[in-house]
């Protein structure tokens, strides 16, 4: 409890000093909001969603094709010898496993591409945040999730979103 009182006392003493300088010395951002509320972040999310939908459509087509092949094999079974059936059933199983491997690889590729785009986004946005930090005379920018208590003026997320939209647009330029 004494620690919280000390922190509160420090904040009460620090706020007037920061206010005299015109800006808090520590700024706060919410990276998730910046990603999901900027034109750039929304474009990345929309591109990923479109890619996921395309993969899902491919998956549905593949499932329909494999289901039809399995149905055909089942219908032809009474006219086949056990050896013929086993050979075709084994070939079908191999085909299904290969399709599954390719689909898993495609999903991993999508996840990797999304992570890479998010990294590029964060690198580009970091420059915008650095400029705001310098303009406001701040010495530290912290992530909202790491902050226990702050004054509202320290959070520059809205300003970062506006600036990213103005400077980077949807990230295609």
């Amino acid at each position: 409890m004494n620690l919280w009182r000390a922190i509160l006392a420090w904040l009460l003493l620090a706020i007037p000093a920061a206010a005299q300088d015109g800006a808090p010395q520590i700024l706060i951002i919410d990276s998730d909001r910046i990603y999901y509320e900027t034109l750039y972040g929304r474009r990345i999310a929309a591109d990923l969603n479109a890619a996921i939908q395309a993969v899902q459509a491919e998956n549905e087509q593949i499932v329909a094709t494999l289901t039809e092949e399995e149905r055909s094999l089942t219908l032809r079974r009474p006219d086949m010898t056990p050896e013929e059936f086993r050979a075709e059933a084994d070939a079908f199983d191999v085909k299904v496993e290969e399709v599954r491997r390719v689909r898993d690889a495609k999903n991993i590729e999508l996840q990797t591409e999304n992570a890479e785009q998010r990294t590029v986004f964060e690198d580009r946005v970091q420059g915008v945040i650095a400029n705001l930090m310098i303009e406001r005379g701040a010495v530290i920018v912290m992530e909202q999730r790491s902050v226990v208590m702050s004054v509202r003026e320290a959070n520059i997320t809205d300003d970062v979103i506006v600036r990213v939209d103005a400077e980077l647009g949807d990230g295609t330029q």
Side-chain angles (χ1 to χ4, degrees):
M1 200 59 153
N2 288 335
L3 176 62
W4 286 112
R5 285 186 186 151
I7 291 172
L8 183 59
W10 177 81
L11 279 173
L12 292 173
L13 293 173
I15 290 171
Q20 289 174 356
D21 294 341
Q25 295 295 314
I26 297 174
L27 300 174
I28 301 165
I29 60 167
D30 182 335
S31 296
D32 287 338
R33 276 195 56 221
I34 293 168
Y35 182 73
Y36 290 110
E37 294 181 23
T38 57
L39 295 171
Y40 190 176
R42 288 192 303 234
R43 194 238 343 129
I44 292 171
D47 289 351
L48 175 63
N49 189 42
I52 288 170
Q53 287 179 354
V55 168
Q56 286 174 340
E58 289 173 8
N59 288 347
E60 289 170 9
Q61 180 59 44
I62 290 167
V63 166
T65 301
L66 292 174
T67 300
E68 185 55 39
E69 286 182 37
E70 183 179 35
R71 184 177 299 123
S72 171
L73 182 58
T74 301
L75 291 173
R76 292 181 294 119
R77 183 176 188 174
D79 299 330
M80 301 171 82
T81 67
E83 294 78 24
E84 289 172 329
F85 176 77
R86 176 60 29 220
E88 284 199 39
D90 289 345
F92 179 76
D93 288 344
V94 168
K95 182 177 185 176
V96 168
E97 288 302 317
E98 177 61 16
V99 165
R100 188 173 292 139
R101 187 192 63 74
V102 168
R103 301 322 296 170
D104 288 347
K106 185 70 171 178
N107 286 331
I108 290 169
E109 180 183 317
L110 278 176
Q111 292 171 2
T112 302
E113 176 66 23
N114 185 52
E116 289 170 357
Q117 286 192 23
R118 178 85 185 235
T119 298
V120 170
F121 169 85
E122 289 171 354
D123 288 347
R124 292 185 73 193
V125 168
Q126 191 172 36
V128 172
I129 294 169
N131 287 337
L132 279 166
M133 181 179 158
I134 291 166
E135 289 169 15
R136 296 187 183 196
V139 293
I140 294 174
V141 175
M142 295 184 67
E143 178 59 45
Q144 177 68 44
R145 291 181 298 267
S146 301
V147 176
V148 175
M149 187 181 332
S150 69
V151 294
R152 184 173 303 207
E153 291 78 25
N155 192 314
I156 62 168
T157 301
D158 291 334
D159 296 334
V160 172
I161 292 169
V162 169
R163 182 83 61 97
V164 168
D165 284 351
E167 293 181 18
L168 303 177
D170 69 357
T172 56
Q173 61 272 9

